[in-house]
Amino acid sequence: ESAIEAMNQKGFRDPDIIYINLEKAGLDTPMHEFTHEWASLVNKKDPELFNAIYEKLKTHPRFAEAVERMNNTRFMQKRITKP
């Protein structure tokens, strides 16, 4: 992704750092970005637990809405991968 595209986001992460754009971020942005790290760690340490959590999340009434919202964001289309 381009640096300009990334800087227009509320927050994003690189392998070693989480960036929060204080001009655009909401109160939930840091938690959102750290959740990526947490999910990655759980997936590496205990894939069975990760898959159980993911399957449970898929049953939430707002799951489809969240996925659709992410799929409609060009920046996110590059990042979303099926676990």
Side-chain angles (χ1 to χ4, degrees):
E1 84 227 24
S2 74
I4 292 171
E5 194 175 32
M7 293 310 297
N8 285 325
Q9 301 302 308
K10 294 177 183 180
F12 61 95
R13 66 188 182 91
D14 280 337
D16 297 324
I17 242 172
I18 292 175
Y19 297 91
I20 305 297
N21 183 340
L22 297 178
E23 293 178 10
K24 296 185 181 246
L27 291 175
D28 62 328
T29 304
M31 179 60 92
H32 173 94
E33 296 305 327
F34 279 104
T35 299
H36 291 292
E37 297 302 318
W38 176 84
S40 179
L41 177 67
V42 171
N43 192 25
K44 287 177 187 170
K45 296 277 185 182
D46 192 342
E48 189 174 319
L49 174 61
F50 177 86
N51 288 331
I53 294 168
Y54 183 72
E55 290 301 317
K56 182 72 173 173
L57 283 172
K58 287 185 349 183
T59 67
H60 191 281
R62 295 186 67 188
F63 179 81
E65 173 190 328
V67 170
E68 181 65 26
R69 186 176 58 247
M70 288 185 285
N71 285 336
N72 285 333
T73 304
R74 202 176 88 196
F75 180 76
M76 289 303 294
Q77 286 176 340
K78 297 176 188 173
R79 295 186 168 262
I80 295 175
T81 57
K82 189 174 182 179

